[in-house]
Amino acid sequence: MMSGDVERLLIQFQDEEGEVLGSPFDVPLDITPDKLQLVCNALLQKEEPVPLAFFVRGEAEVVSSLGLCVKALGVETEQVLPVVYQPQAVFRVRAVARCTSSLQGHTEAVISTAFSPTGKYLASGSGDTTVRFWDLTTETPHHTARGHTHWVLTITWSPDGKKLASGCKNSQICLWDPVTGQQMGKTLTGHTKWITWLCWEPLHLNPECRYLASSSKDGSIRVWDTVLGRCDKILTGHTQSVTCVKWGGDGLLYTSSQDRTVKVWRAKDGVQCRTLQGHAHWVNTLALSTDYVLRTGAFEPATATVNPQDLSGSLEELKEKALERYNKVRSAAPERLVSGSDDFTMFLWNPAEDKKPLARMTGHSALVNEVLFSPDTRLLASASFDKSIKIWDGRTGKYLTSLRGHVAAVYQVAWSADSRLLVSGSSDSTLKVWDIKTGKLNMDLPGHADEVFAVDWSPDGQRVASGGKDKCLRIWRR
């Protein structure tokens, strides 16, 4: 072959569902992703070209040139080569790099921390029995919400950002108004042991954000009507502590339990649909592929401003917007569920349709503490007591890479809204920001004096909040 000639081959663009785009296309072997992007966007004929990532045969990403990829996979260049294109987030979240505030106020460990759906408010729950709201413009304490009589174990924002629910070790649930810090309505009582998890009904199913599901160590799940302040349904069936409850976007409730099962329930009448079995030990945690879009409701991170605002619009408009965002993320297939367990493994399920798992994900050498889908649902991160975070394919459950750097158990992780970065909090007292594409450490954030139990990345991408044993809430920014 003469050196002047560049080897060429035929490629066929297709989307993630396998739908082909245009006819096979003749390209030089040394074509770069940027050039592929020009070609692909020309074929897509969108008004606004979107950033794309390319995968040869849908498995190896084209990073520097197509040729290197073809070589690595050992593909025949005589045949037409399928190249899958994946639209990426149009906006970029920048990694947080420094601690801008260390907020004191809690007198015991901070157990949970959460940003509201737009990133306007920040709340934290602590072993000192209080929930605190923090003012993010000035990064100062805003309200202290008193009402619980024991450790606050779990907090969750309603998807419209107007209410925060908190559950404590004394089996009580309180609702709070973030603007005033006052309790809304009366305390919800009924569980006989502590509250393990809380989850609101999705905004696109009910824009009033009226119903709240809770799971408890007493083995039951309750659905509460927060307007009337009473228990609407009690779901029983688990034989041991229920560790997690998720309210899916298609009207199903998913629960995990120490009885080693995951159960699927119909939210409208509380009927048990199926039991997912396979774990050999306690199931600790659940993640839905639609978690992020359900959490943010009608808020679109791509349109975030520097000063987060509450969403305006009628209930109907918010519902429409939330539904549109949900359908876009869900696309054709129903939502996927991942369960993580003390048996060191995870299962990927398609719970609406099948009681057999899609994949069993093994590789951790200690219990799995948290699993979390990326906002674009393509990836899955798992945090474990084996000091590592593992990244998996969110559709197939295939193992992709391990993020190593923590020197003790990893408790919690949070994705940036553009799915390109991940932050992790660990028992080694540091937070670490990881670049997912390279699998490398982007930022090491020391600063806490003890274990970091809770971490969250605001949906507008501006801040990361972390809390832990040193009773301080820290805010990290660019």
Side-chain angles (χ1 to χ4, degrees), residues 395-452:
R395 287 164 196 248
T396 60
K398 190 177 133 212
Y399 167 75
L400 297 173
T401 183
S402 289
L403 309 176
R404 298 190 182 279
H406 282 298
V407 293
V410 185
Y411 287 130
Q412 223 183 3
V413 290
W415 287 93
S416 63
D418 63 357
S419 307
R420 291 186 178 101
L421 300 166
L422 184 80
V423 64
S424 56
S426 157
S427 151
D428 68 10
S429 85
T430 69
L431 279 99
K432 293 189 191 319
V433 181
W434 308 88
D435 184 317
I436 294 303
K437 193 153 254 185
T438 61
K440 299 271 188 299
L441 182 67
N442 182 312
M443 279 289 171
D444 196 7
L445 305 173
H448 278 284
D450 211 327
E451 306 184 68
V452 182

Side-chain angles (χ1 to χ4, degrees), residues 11 78 144 152 168 179 234 256 269 282 314 335 353 356 379 402 433 462 464 468-469:
I11 60 169
E78 279 78 46
T144 305
V152 179
C168 74
V179 181
I234 306 176
S256 61
D269 50 12
W282 296 353
S314 69
E335 51 197 359
E353 293 177 349
K356 287 195 194 66
L379 297 171
S402 289
V433 181
Q462 297 277 335
V464 166
K469 218 168 173 174

Side-chain angles (χ1 to χ4, degrees), residues 210-350:
R210 180 167 183 167
Y211 294 97
L212 172 75
S214 62
S215 63
S216 162
K217 192 169 160 59
D218 63 18
S220 73
I221 301 100
R222 284 172 180 252
V223 176
W224 306 87
D225 180 332
T226 60
V227 175
L228 298 177
R230 60 169 197 194
C231 178
D232 193 53
K233 290 181 204 61
I234 306 176
L235 314 181
T236 54
H238 283 298
T239 55
Q240 282 184 39
S241 170
V242 185
T243 51
C244 185
V245 58
K246 294 276 176 186
W247 198 316
D250 298 335
L252 293 173
L253 286 165
Y254 309 99
T255 57
S256 61
S257 163
Q258 291 186 352
D259 65 11
R260 310 198 301 276
T261 68
V262 174
K263 287 186 189 287
V264 184
W265 317 75
R266 240 193 350 234
K268 65 171 192 288
D269 50 12
V271 170
Q272 186 177 318
C273 303
R274 51 177 62 101
T275 300
L276 310 177
Q277 287 170 325
H279 282 296
H281 208 308
W282 296 353
V283 189
N284 297 325
T285 175
L286 293 175
L288 275 176
S289 56
T290 50
D291 271 343
Y292 203 83
V293 72
L294 294 179
R295 166 193 176 172
T296 45
F299 171 70
E300 177 51 67
T303 59
T305 49
V306 178
N307 286 330
Q309 298 303 320
D310 276 333
L311 289 170
S312 55
S314 69
L315 288 183
E316 209 39 57
E317 284 162 17
L318 292 179
K319 181 178 176 170
E320 279 303 298
K321 208 155 172 193
L323 184 61
E324 183 190 328
R325 291 190 65 234
Y326 173 73
N327 286 334
K328 198 168 142 198
V329 168
R330 181 186 179 273
S331 68
E335 51 197 359
R336 302 179 301 286
L337 182 76
V338 162
S339 55
S341 159
D342 268 20
D343 66 8
F344 311 171
T345 71
M346 287 126 47
F347 280 103
L348 177 64
W349 313 89
N350 181 354

